[in-house]
C-alpha cells in the first residue's frame, strides 16, 4: 500500500518524466568512437608473401629477370618514367579513397 | 525481453565491433541517461549532453567488462554516476581556486529551465547522494538493489538516502501546495 508521501512523490516525478528527443545525439556519440579496427588487414600482406614464395619456387627466376629486362628495354624512356610515376599516384589515390570510406 | 535484447546488442558489439548494434543501444538509452544528467545538473542542457556523451563513449571502450551479472541499464547508469561524480570533484577543485578570477574567466552558464524549475528547486534541498538515489528511484524506476549497485553503496545506506530524500522532498512539495 503506497503511503501518501510515496503517492505525492510519484505524481510529482511522473509529471516531470519526459522523453528527450535524440536530435543527432546518437550520431555525435558514434562519430566520437575510435576508428574501427580492420580484421582483414593481414590478408593482403599474407597472400603477397605467399605469391612471392610460390613464384620463386615454381619459375626460373633468372630467366624471368632477363625477360623483364628485355621488355623494359623495348619501352621508350618517357613511357618508363610515366609508368613508374603513375603507379605510386594510383596507389595513393586508392589509399585515399579507402580511408574516406572507413570514416 | 528487453534484457535479452540488450545482451544481444552487447554481444554483437563485443564480438564483431558492430557499430549498428551500439547505435541501437545508444538510441535506446540516450533519453533516460540525458534526463538523469539534466536533473543532476539542474537543467544544464549542454553540460548534461557532454556528460551523457562521455558515458556512452566510456561504455563502448569498456564494453568487454560488462559481464551480464546486472542489466546493461544498471551497468550504464553506474558509468554515468561515476562520470557525474568525477565532474563534481573537478568542480570542487575548481572552486578551491580564486573564485573571483574564475568568475571573470569562466562565467557559469547554469540556468533553470522554466517548466522544470519546480523539480530543480526541490532537488536543490537534497544532498548529492540523496538526489542521485531519489532520481534513480522515482525518475528512472530503479529498484533499491539496482541503485545500490549503481552507487556502489550498501543497500542500507541507499535506503537511508531515499528515506531522507523523500522526507525533504515531501516537506518541500507540501509547502508548495502539491497534493492538496
Amino acid at each position: 500500500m503506497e503511503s501518501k508521501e510515496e503517492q505525492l512523490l510519484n505524481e510529482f516525478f511522473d509529471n516531470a518524466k519526459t522523453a528527450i528527443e535524440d536530435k543527432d545525439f546518437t550520431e555525435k556519440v558514434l562519430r566520437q568512437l575510435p576508428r574501427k579496427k580492420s580484421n582483414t588487414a593481414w590478408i593482403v600482406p599474407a597472400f603477397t608473401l605467399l605469391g612471392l614464395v610460390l613464384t620463386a619456387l615454381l619459375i626460373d627466376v633468372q630467366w624471368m629477370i632477363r625477360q623483364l629486362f628485355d621488355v623494359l628495354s623495348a619501352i621508350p624512356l618517357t613511357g618508363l618514367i610515366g609508368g613508374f610515376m603513375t603507379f605510386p599516384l594510383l596507389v595513393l589515390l586508392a589509399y585515399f579513397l579507402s580511408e574516406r570510406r572507413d570514416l | 525481453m528487453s534484457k535479452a535484447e540488450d545482451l544481444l546488442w552487447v554481444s554483437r558489439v563485443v564480438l564483431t565491433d558492430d557499430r549498428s548494434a551500439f547505435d541501437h543501444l545508444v538510441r535506446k538509452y540516450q533519453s533516460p541517461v540525458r534526463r538523469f544528467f539534466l536533473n543532476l545538473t539542474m537543467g544544464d542542457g549542454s553540460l548534461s549532453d557532454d556528460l551523457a556523451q562521455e558515458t556512452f563513449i566510456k561504455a563502448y571502450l569498456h564494453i568487454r567488462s560488462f559481464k551480464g551479472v546486472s542489466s546493461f541499464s544498471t551497468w550504464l547508469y553506474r558509468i554515468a554516476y561515476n562520470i557525474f561524480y568525477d565532474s563534481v570533484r573537478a568542480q570542487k577543485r575548481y572552486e578551491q581556486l580564486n573564485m573571483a578570477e574564475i568568475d571573470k574567466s569562466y562565467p557559469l552558464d547554469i540556468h533553470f529551465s522554466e517548466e522544470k524549475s519546480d523539480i530543480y528547486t526541490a532537488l536543490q534541498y537534497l544532498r548529492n547522494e540523496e538526489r542521485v538515489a531519489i532520481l534513480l528511484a522515482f525518475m528512472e524506476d530503479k529498484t533499491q538493489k539496482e541503485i545500490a549497485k549503481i552507487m556502489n553503496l550498501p543497500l542500507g545506506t541507499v535506503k537511508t538516502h531515499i528515506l531522507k530524500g523523500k522526507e525533504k522532498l515531501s516537506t518541500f512539495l507540501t509547502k508548495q501546495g502539491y497534493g492538496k
Side-chain angles (χ1 to χ4, degrees):
Chain A
M1 177 96 175
E2 220 177 50
S3 66
K4 269 195 171 174
E5 189 182 70
E6 288 261 345
Q7 235 179 352
L8 178 66
L9 291 171
N10 279 324
E11 252 177 57
F12 177 70
F13 280 104
D14 281 346
N15 288 333
K17 217 182 274 187
T18 50
I20 300 178
E21 276 181 50
D22 194 296
K23 279 189 187 168
D24 294 335
F25 176 83
T26 301
E27 274 87 22
K28 278 187 206 161
V29 169
L30 290 173
R31 272 200 297 270
Q32 289 181 66
L33 296 181
R35 280 187 58 184
K36 220 175 153 169
K37 285 179 205 159
S38 172
N39 293 333
T40 54
W42 61 274
I43 292 176
V44 169
F47 277 87
T48 306
L49 192 62
L50 182 66
L52 285 171
V53 167
L54 283 173
T55 307
L57 289 171
L58 294 172
I59 67 163
D60 180 352
V61 178
Q62 278 185 345
W63 172 84
M64 196 185 77
I65 291 172
R66 270 199 302 272
Q67 290 295 311
L68 187 63
F69 268 116
D70 287 343
V71 166
L72 287 175
S73 58
I75 300 171
L77 187 64
T78 48
L80 269 177
I81 292 169
F84 275 115
M85 282 175 72
T86 307
F87 182 68
L89 286 172
L90 284 173
V91 168
L92 270 172
L93 183 65
Y95 174 73
F96 173 69
L97 289 171
S98 73
E99 287 293 294
R100 280 191 72 184
R101 196 165 39 107
D102 286 346
L103 282 173
Chain B
M1 185 59 194
S2 176
K3 281 187 185 175
E5 197 182 52
D6 287 350
L7 277 174
L8 180 66
W9 297 129
V10 170
S11 58
R12 281 169 65 167
V13 178
V14 169
L15 293 172
T16 61
D17 193 17
D18 186 347
R19 297 290 168 101
S20 69
F22 193 67
D23 180 289
H24 276 279
L25 289 168
V26 177
R27 283 188 198 278
K28 182 177 175 182
Y29 289 105
Q30 62 84 25
S31 176
V33 168
R34 287 164 78 191
R35 184 178 60 211
F36 177 59
F37 281 123
L38 201 59
N39 289 317
L40 285 175
T41 60
M42 303 301 166
D44 188 340
S46 62
L47 176 60
S48 61
D49 274 4
D50 284 345
L51 295 173
Q53 279 185 28
E54 208 180 315
T55 300
F56 284 108
I57 291 166
K58 208 163 187 177
Y60 173 82
L61 293 173
H62 294 97
I63 202 145
R64 278 177 171 72
S65 69
F66 173 63
K67 304 287 180 223
V69 175
S70 59
S71 69
F72 179 76
S73 164
T74 302
W75 183 76
L76 190 65
Y77 272 101
R78 177 139 169 75
I79 295 172
Y81 172 74
N82 287 334
I83 282 173
F84 173 70
Y85 251 91
D86 287 344
S87 79
V88 166
R89 276 194 287 267
Q91 177 76 12
K92 279 190 179 152
R93 276 197 295 273
Y94 213 55
E95 284 164 3
Q96 278 161 11
L97 303 172
N98 186 322
M99 280 309 297
E101 285 304 310
I102 290 166
D103 283 342
K104 244 194 281 176
S105 319
Y106 304 102
L108 289 174
D109 192 24
I110 295 171
H111 53 275
F112 278 19
S113 146
E114 274 301 317
E115 61 258 16
K116 297 278 176 68
S117 58
D118 269 1
I119 191 167
Y120 301 140
T121 310
L123 290 171
Q124 262 197 309
Y125 287 94
L126 307 181
R127 288 173 49 214
N128 272 337
E129 294 85 1
E130 290 165 359
R131 194 179 303 135
V132 172
I134 286 288
L135 283 171
L136 287 171
F138 286 94
M139 194 71 98
E140 310 305 331
D141 301 322
K142 296 293 174 198
T143 63
Q144 289 180 350
K145 271 190 181 169
E146 285 172 329
I147 297 171
K149 281 184 187 168
I150 289 167
M151 295 177 74
N152 197 28
L153 291 172
L155 186 59
T157 309
V158 167
K159 285 181 178 177
T160 306
H161 287 326
I162 291 175
L163 192 65
K164 287 193 174 160
K166 275 161 65 174
E167 280 169 10
K168 289 177 186 175
L169 278 178
S170 61
T171 306
F172 169 81
L173 292 175
T174 310
K175 281 183 183 165
Q176 294 297 113
Y178 283 86
K180 284 185 182 158

